[in-house]
């Protein structure tokens, strides 16, 4: 008669299965992270973006409040790839991805939407605060030092910003599409700018101290 495998409660510190269980748990954690993150930038991916937005919408409908999103897209990024190579372009995306992570609060959710487009989910954030953050990020990106063969490669981004309030009943996809329309307007208006639902509320610029804090550590350049 075959003996039953030991239960976890029966195991001791020297159990022969502990190392295997620990390794399996680590593999599960790594696979879970890969499912939710973008391999290039390390930011969250589209799947996690939609989950986070739906979670925020559900939270607002239960308890009120608001949250905002920023849709961000590089300007003329095809020229960067064409003139400097796709590897340089990938390094630029990684650098800006790290910059975004360092610019946000721990509760914010930075995601790579696809290609050179990113979405930032900002819980408990009103429109004005989101616009101010977008303006700071927009200006901060222009000061990132990317060098290729001794030549500085400038980057700019356009952004659309929108706020979701508890009184709304649109889906996450509809909200994302609405913010994306503001991004499109920013592109059509000349690029390197922020557009949002009430253009009568301009975002503040970036002070010298804020610029210094945001740009600390971003003077390293990707190499081809």
């Amino acid at each position: 008669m075959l003996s039953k495998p030991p239960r976890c409660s029966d195991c001791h510190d020297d159990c022969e299965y502990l190392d295997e269980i620990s390794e399996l748990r680590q593999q599960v954690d790594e696979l879970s992270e890969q499912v939710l993150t973008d391999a290039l930038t390390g930011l969250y991916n589209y799947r996690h973006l939609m989950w986070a937005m739906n979670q925020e919408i559900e939270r607002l409908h239960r308890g009120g409040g608001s949250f905002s999103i920023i849709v961000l897209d590089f300007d003329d990024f095809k020229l960067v790839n064409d003139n400097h190579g796709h590897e340089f372009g990938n390094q630029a995306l990684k650098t800006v991805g790290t910059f975004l992570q360092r610019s946000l609060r721990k509760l914010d959710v930075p995601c790579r939407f696809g290609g050179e487009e990113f979405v930032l989910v900002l819980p408990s954030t009103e429109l004005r605060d989101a616009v101010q953050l977008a303006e700071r990020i927009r200006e901060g990106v222009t000061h990132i030092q990317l060098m290729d063969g001794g030549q500085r490669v400038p980057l700019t981004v356009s952004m659309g910003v929108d706020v979701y309030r508890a009184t709304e009943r649109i889906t996450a996809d509809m909200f994302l599409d609405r913010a994306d329309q503001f991004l499109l307007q920013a592109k059509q208006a000349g690029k390197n700018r922020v557009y949002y639902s009430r253009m009568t509320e301009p975002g503040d610029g970036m002070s010298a101290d804020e610029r210094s804090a945001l740009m600390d550590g971003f003077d390293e350049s990707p190499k081809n």
Side-chain angles (χ1 to χ4, degrees):
M1 183 175 181
L2 296 175
S3 61
K4 294 182 180 180
R7 296 173 299 172
C8 290
S9 58
D10 297 329
C11 289
H12 304 285
D13 291 340
D14 59 349
C15 173
E16 61 180 302
Y17 298 103
L18 285 181
D19 288 342
E20 182 178 352
I21 291 172
S22 177
E23 183 178 350
L24 287 172
R25 284 176 175 170
Q26 182 178 349
Q27 291 175 359
V28 169
D29 290 341
E30 290 175 354
L31 287 172
S32 297
E33 183 176 351
Q34 291 173 15
V35 168
L36 298 177
T37 57
D38 172 61
L40 177 64
T41 63
L43 303 182
Y44 290 111
N45 59 19
Y46 175 79
R47 178 177 180 177
H48 187 73
L49 165 65
M50 300 311 297
W51 178 87
M53 290 180 63
N54 280 304
Q55 287 290 105
E56 282 301 303
I57 290 172
E58 182 179 344
R59 181 183 64 81
L60 295 192
H61 289 167
R62 288 199 313 265
S66 64
F67 81 99
S68 296
I69 61 173
I70 299 173
V71 183
L72 176 157
D73 189 63
F74 283 82
D75 297 322
D76 303 314
F77 198 70
K78 184 177 183 300
L79 294 178
V80 174
N81 285 326
D82 290 346
N83 295 334
H84 303 279
H86 287 276
E87 181 56 33
F88 182 92
N90 286 341
Q91 291 298 319
L93 291 173
K94 290 173 64 175
T95 299
V96 172
T98 302
F99 174 70
L100 293 175
Q101 287 179 311
R102 294 184 182 180
S103 303
L104 301 177
R105 305 167 299 177
K106 288 185 177 180
L107 74 161
D108 297 330
V109 184
C111 306
R112 186 182 181 194
F113 186 64
E116 58 269 15
E117 189 169 357
F118 299 81
V119 178
L120 313 179
V121 182
L122 312 174
S124 303
T125 303
E126 273 292 345
L127 179 66
R128 183 174 181 82
D129 293 329
V131 169
Q132 290 176 347
L133 173 63
E135 287 286 3
R136 294 185 182 110
I137 290 175
R138 182 197 60 77
E139 185 172 349
V141 169
T142 67
H143 289 84
I144 292 177
Q145 297 292 316
L146 293 175
M147 306 296 293
D148 183 23
Q151 174 189 2
R152 181 175 182 270
V153 181
L155 295 175
T156 65
V157 293
S158 297
M159 302 190 199
V161 185
D162 203 357
V163 63
Y164 192 111
R165 295 190 173 90
T167 54
E168 301 196 59
R169 288 297 183 269
I170 62 174
T171 66
D173 283 322
M174 294 168 67
F175 181 43
L176 188 58
D177 287 342
R178 195 170 73 185
D180 202 49
Q181 289 303 307
F182 294 125
L183 168 63
L184 180 60
Q185 292 175 29
K187 294 281 190 180
Q188 294 172 340
K191 303 175 183 177
N192 190 26
R193 60 195 66 208
V194 176
Y195 261 59
Y196 47 99
S197 57
R198 294 200 300 275
M199 293 300 291
T200 56
E201 287 191 21
D204 294 343
M206 178 187 288
S207 69
D209 288 343
E210 288 170 333
R211 180 183 301 115
S212 176
L214 278 176
M215 298 312 301
D216 184 33
F218 280 91
D219 55 358
E220 295 296 327
S221 306
K223 301 293 191 296
N224 274 349

